[in-house]
């Protein structure tokens, strides 16, 4: 066993235990591990391939994925999925992502201590939901904080619901029904300088977007995509929110992602087509629609002139992280920009992920300087 492997194990133990991993489940290669000496404890963690990580986990006592960050009242709040180990093997539907509650993280400044707040809401308190509380997002308007939560309903169909609180950290109270007309996963709510808010959402494969291709849910639809590589890729959706932030004010529209020539990105273009994990931010009057390419594991971006697009594919933001999924958010805090993302540094298991953050910088023309999640 190399030293960095021992160090990684001791770093991960609190989160593994918090996630319900028992001693018996700890890989045998770690069984004889002894507490690290001071010099070992200081060794820089490395990936299984021996690479150094660009950033370290924000928290180590729970697994926190899909970090949606916001600045509220001058502080940074992160709304992640709370990953747990339900002992379900990995599959294309993502059944291994068996999360059941949400916990909020907060910090006064980048690099500052991170507070893990108590459970903000549990699936048992969401009347319409049955399981799999996946990647959430949050918004604020007129003294109320809104938590947007995708989960499977009682029929196993992903919907998106909302819960409210007077505090950014909850507890949140769920609306009795999901948002009317909502489907699929990964809500990202963007509040424009105009005062309007928009929800971007959707995800293919386990996120079920392909099963809504006709406008109605097809329970027998594909587990992955439509197998139509030469057709335009399935589009993420956008809908303006009602003034009370609890419903769609319009029927969701397709978010068009086009190439330099203005042609839709095709379904077979896995390096550029939308998979899941929408995020939107505005900078210099331009709207940046950012997303995960899923099975090719990039965070990519496309730029448009309105919140509805079309958005022109512009490039990559983040190369593949350790772990299958990649999911991010981007905020401006005190005139600097920050990328929040996750990887599996602490567990090396796809469904037990850790949120991280790192600075994001731009070129003079507004393009993003792409990041590698490893230092070498
Ligand atoms: O966390 C469950 C799912 O994994 C999210 O909804 C996707 O974006 C992916 O990160």
């Amino acid at each position: 066993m190399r030293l960095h492997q021992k160090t990684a194990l001791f770093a991960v133990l609190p989160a593994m235990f918090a996630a319900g991993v028992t001693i018996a489940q700890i890989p045998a290669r770690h069984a004889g591990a002894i507490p690290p000496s001071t010099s070992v404890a200081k060794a820089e963690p490395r990936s299984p391939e021996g690479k150094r990580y660009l950033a370290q986990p924000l928290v180590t006592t729970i697994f926190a994925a899909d970090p949606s960050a916001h600045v509220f009242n001058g502080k940074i709040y992160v709304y992640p999925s709370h990953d747990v180990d339900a002992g379900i093997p990995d599959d294309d539907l993502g059944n291994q992502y068996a999360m059941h509650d949400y916990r909020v993280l907060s910090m006064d400044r980048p690099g500052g201590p991170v507070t893990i707040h108590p459970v903000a809401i549990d699936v048992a308190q969401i009347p319409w939901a049955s399981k799999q509380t996946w990647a959430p997002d949050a918004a604020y308007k007129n003294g109320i904080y809104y938590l947007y939560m995708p989960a499977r309903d009682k029929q196993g169909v992903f919907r998106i619901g909302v819960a409210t609180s007077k505090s950014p950290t909850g507890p949140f109270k769920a609306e009795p029904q999901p948002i009317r007309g909502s489907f699929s996963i990964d809500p990202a709510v963007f509040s424009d300088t105009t005062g309007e808010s928009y929800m971007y959402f959707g995800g293919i494969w386990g996120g079920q977007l392909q099963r809504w291709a006709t406008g109605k849910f097809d329970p027998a639809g594909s587990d992955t995509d439509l197998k139509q590589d030469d057709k335009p890729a399935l589009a993420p959706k956008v809908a303006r929110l009602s003034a009370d932030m609890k419903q769609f004010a319009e029927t969701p529209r397709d978010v068009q992602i086009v190439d330099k020539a203005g042609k839709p990105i095709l379904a077979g273009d896995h390096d550029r087509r939308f998979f899941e994990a929408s995020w939107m931010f505005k900078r210099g009057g331009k709207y940046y629609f950012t997303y995960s390419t899923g099975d090719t594991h990039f965070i990519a971006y496309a730029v448009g002139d309105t919140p509805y697009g079309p958005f022109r594919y512009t490039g990559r933001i983040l190369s593949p992280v350790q772990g299958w999924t990649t999911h991010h958010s981007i905020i401006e805090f005190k005139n600097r920009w920050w990328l929040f993302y996750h990887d599996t540094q602490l567990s090396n298991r796809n469904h037990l992920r850790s949120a991280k953050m790192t600075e994001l910088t731009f070129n003079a023309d507004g393009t993003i300087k792409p990041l590698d999640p490893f230092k070498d």
Side-chain angles (χ1 to χ4, degrees):
M1 178 185 289
R2 283 173 296 173
L3 290 183
H4 66 77
Q5 287 177 311
K6 283 187 190 172
T7 311
L9 175 65
F10 285 102
V12 73
L13 279 174
M16 289 175 88
F17 290 137
V21 175
T22 65
I23 291 284
Q25 291 171 299
I26 295 173
R29 68 177 184 278
H30 294 313
I34 52 167
S37 69
T38 309
S39 59
V40 171
K42 281 185 182 161
E44 186 171 359
R46 290 186 182 252
S47 75
E49 291 77 35
K51 294 179 182 171
R52 295 182 302 141
Y53 298 96
L54 178 64
Q56 289 301 308
L58 291 176
V59 293
T60 57
T61 54
I62 63 169
F63 290 109
D66 309 322
S68 291
H70 290 274
V71 180
F72 295 136
N73 304 318
K75 279 179 71 161
I76 299 171
Y77 291 88
V78 184
Y79 298 82
S81 301
H82 177 198
D83 282 358
V84 290
D85 187 19
I88 299 170
D90 286 17
D91 63 27
D92 285 348
L93 291 175
N95 283 308
Q96 66 275 24
Y97 301 101
M99 302 80 107
H100 62 80
D101 64 15
Y102 292 111
R103 301 189 67 168
V104 182
L105 313 179
S106 68
M107 67 194 93
D108 289 336
R109 57 181 170 81
V114 178
T115 302
I116 306 173
H117 295 274
V119 171
I121 191 167
D122 187 280
V123 71
Q125 299 162 311
I126 309 173
W128 56 269
S130 63
K131 61 180 181 178
Q132 289 180 297
T133 48
W134 282 12
D137 194 19
Y140 170 81
K141 186 175 179 184
N142 295 340
I144 299 176
Y145 295 88
Y146 298 84
L147 182 67
Y148 296 92
M149 316 164 293
R152 285 188 194 253
D153 68 12
K154 310 282 186 197
Q155 286 74 45
V157 179
F158 270 109
R159 306 278 181 184
I160 298 168
V162 59
T164 54
S165 175
K166 289 266 168 69
S167 159
T169 58
F172 287 87
K173 182 165 172 34
E175 292 295 300
Q177 298 293 333
I179 293 172
R180 272 189 304 281
S182 71
F183 54 93
S184 198
I185 60 164
D186 289 0
V189 172
F190 164 70
S191 294
D192 203 350
T193 41
T194 58
E196 299 287 4
S197 293
Y198 302 84
M199 181 186 289
Y200 300 82
F201 64 96
I204 61 173
W205 295 30
Q208 301 179 339
L209 189 60
Q210 70 282 357
R211 296 192 180 182
W212 290 91
T214 62
K216 280 197 171 159
F217 185 71
D218 175 5
S222 168
D223 285 351
T224 55
D225 59 26
L226 297 179
K227 320 279 181 216
Q228 297 174 345
D229 283 0
D230 52 350
K231 296 260 168 56
L234 283 160
K237 306 290 174 187
V238 58
R240 188 167 52 82
L241 292 178
S242 57
D244 70 0
M245 304 288 277
K246 293 180 178 175
Q247 297 294 341
F248 293 152
E250 60 186 1
T251 304
R253 316 174 186 196
D254 282 357
V255 172
Q256 280 186 43
I257 303 173
V258 298
D259 64 15
K260 272 193 190 140
K263 298 230 168 76
I265 300 288
L266 298 182
D269 186 349
H270 289 213
D271 278 353
R272 297 192 296 173
R273 64 97 167 83
F274 171 82
F275 189 100
E276 62 186 4
S278 297
W279 189 260
M280 167 62 64
F281 67 92
K282 191 177 181 183
R283 183 178 183 273
K286 296 282 184 194
Y287 294 82
Y288 290 68
F289 178 76
T290 66
Y291 59 97
S292 163
T293 63
D295 57 340
T296 49
H297 317 289
F298 297 112
I299 298 294
Y301 71 110
V303 180
D305 294 320
T306 80
Y308 292 115
F311 299 97
R312 183 164 299 205
Y313 178 88
T314 305
R316 294 174 185 163
I317 298 174
L318 187 66
S319 301
V321 297
Q322 182 181 322
W324 201 96
T325 67
T326 186
H327 190 127
H328 69 297
S329 64
I330 294 168
I331 59 166
E332 185 180 20
F333 183 79
K334 299 193 174 164
N335 299 318
R336 289 166 73 186
W337 290 82
W338 300 90
L339 172 73
F340 291 74
Y341 64 104
H342 70 220
D343 69 11
T344 61
Q345 174 181 334
L346 292 186
S347 72
N348 203 23
R349 297 172 75 189
N350 286 331
H351 64 290
L352 298 177
R353 302 160 293 178
S354 298
K356 299 183 164 186
M357 69 184 287
T358 192
E359 188 162 7
L360 190 70
T361 53
F362 293 79
N363 297 304
D365 64 359
T367 54
I368 295 173
K369 293 189 180 162
L371 291 165
D372 185 331
F374 299 102
K375 287 192 221 166
D376 50 34

